Amino acid sequence: MPNRILIIDDDKDLCRLLQESLRQMDAEADVCYSGNVGISFMQKREYHLVVLDIFMPGMDGFETLEKIRLLGNVPVLMLTAKDDNASKVKGLQMGADDYLTKPFNLEEFNARVQSLIRRYLYLNDPEKRTVIEYKGLLINLSEKRVVVNGSEVALPNKEFELLVYCAQNPKKILSKKRIFEAVWKQEYMYDDNTIMATMSRLRKKIDGLSAPDEYIQTIKGMGYRFNAPSDSG
């Protein structure tokens, strides 16, 4: 199956150039010229990479990136203007995986694309990824061990599985229904007590060794979100 890439940029000539370059790499490339349209594309199709321009009319690249991160952990390669270091830093802090400064060399673009997709496919292969690390948190999947800032935390099975599920879905808002069906593997019956009690015990253990809400954040009325960047580990 070819890699699928979404290009979001209002420069139509550049989009055509990048699309053709990606086709020569045997990748499928969809193109759209605004952030709103790009988000609608992502709601309908899964991509292995998003190429995102910062300066676009209407919804700019930063706002688009924020919405992308609510949809999943697909890598994002941001395109920035020359010498705009502030935008580069802001984009990376908001969850972009890499950036290129315009104008750029197509060979470098292709190399960045290949590198980001390789890493994304590796990190999303459960048979290859056995350790998750982020900000002092280490989860060893094969040994079922959790270490927070150097201190080992003993977790019962369900708490461990809950932590792993959240950590394997970074930056996504996970509803209680989705969590219950994934971790407890039962049909969700609108009883949140089990989830909330297990989450409360888990967070007390890991937050006691870190800053509050360092890892798992409550999104009021929606569910929970693991704060790690999408390329953690």
Side-chain angles (χ1 to χ4, degrees):
M1 181 183 296
N3 294 321
R4 294 183 299 276
I5 298 158
L6 177 62
I7 304 170
I8 308 175
D9 195 318
D10 63 325
D11 185 335
K12 295 182 180 181
D13 290 335
L14 177 61
C15 285
R16 281 193 290 269
L17 183 65
L18 298 182
Q19 189 176 38
E20 181 56 33
S21 180
L22 292 169
R23 281 176 180 162
Q24 292 178 13
M25 295 167 53
D26 295 323
E28 292 183 7
D30 291 336
V31 168
C32 53
Y33 308 120
S34 73
N36 283 320
V37 175
I39 295 301
S40 70
F41 272 46
M42 294 190 66
Q43 290 171 334
K44 298 172 184 175
R45 194 176 189 196
E46 182 178 346
Y47 292 95
H48 298 102
L49 174 70
V50 176
V51 178
L52 176 63
D53 186 37
I54 289 180
F55 298 106
M56 296 183 292
M59 190 165 74
D60 67 12
F62 295 125
E63 189 177 352
T64 305
L65 175 60
E66 190 173 24
K67 292 182 181 296
I68 289 172
R69 282 290 162 257
L70 294 177
L71 294 175
N73 63 344
V74 59
V76 176
L77 173 62
M78 295 202 80
L79 306 181
T80 69
K82 186 178 181 181
D83 299 326
D84 187 5
N85 291 321
S87 290
K88 296 172 187 175
V89 172
K90 182 177 179 180
L92 293 172
Q93 289 176 335
M94 290 181 64
D97 297 85
D98 201 354
Y99 65 85
L100 268 177
T101 301
K102 294 180 179 181
F104 49 82
N105 183 290
L106 275 180
E107 290 183 359
E108 182 180 6
F109 171 78
N110 292 340
R112 298 285 183 97
V113 166
Q114 290 174 330
S115 175
L116 288 169
I117 291 177
R118 269 199 311 270
R119 184 175 62 179
Y120 176 67
L121 293 175
Y122 177 86
L123 291 177
N124 284 275
D125 185 342
E127 294 183 0
K128 295 178 180 177
R129 191 179 187 194
T130 60
V131 175
I132 300 172
E133 294 183 78
Y134 169 66
K135 271 192 175 183
L137 171 67
L138 183 148
I139 308 171
N140 189 311
L141 303 180
S142 59
E143 297 178 7
K144 291 194 173 182
R145 291 178 61 240
V146 175
V147 178
V148 180
N149 291 324
S151 298
E152 187 159 349
V153 181
L155 296 178
N157 282 340
K158 276 293 174 266
E159 291 175 26
F160 180 80
E161 291 170 11
L162 177 58
L163 177 60
V164 168
Y165 180 69
C166 291
Q168 287 179 331
N169 291 275
K171 294 295 183 183
K172 298 178 183 177
I173 296 178
L174 303 171
S175 68
K176 291 171 183 174
K177 177 180 185 295
R178 183 172 175 181
I179 290 172
F180 188 82
E181 292 180 350
V183 175
W184 277 266
K185 303 188 187 319
Q186 300 175 27
E187 184 180 355
Y188 180 66
M189 301 301 291
Y190 301 96
D191 180 3
D192 296 335
N193 291 337
T194 299
I195 300 171
M196 293 173 67
T198 306
M199 181 67 78
S200 177
R201 291 193 299 270
L202 168 63
R203 292 173 71 177
K204 282 180 181 177
K205 292 174 183 177
I206 61 177
D207 284 353
L209 298 169
S210 65
D213 298 335
E214 181 79 42
Y215 306 116
I216 301 175
Q217 178 184 11
T218 299
I219 308 300
K220 191 173 181 180
M222 300 179 71
Y224 302 95
R225 178 171 61 197
F226 191 77
N227 288 321
S230 57
D231 62 348
S232 65

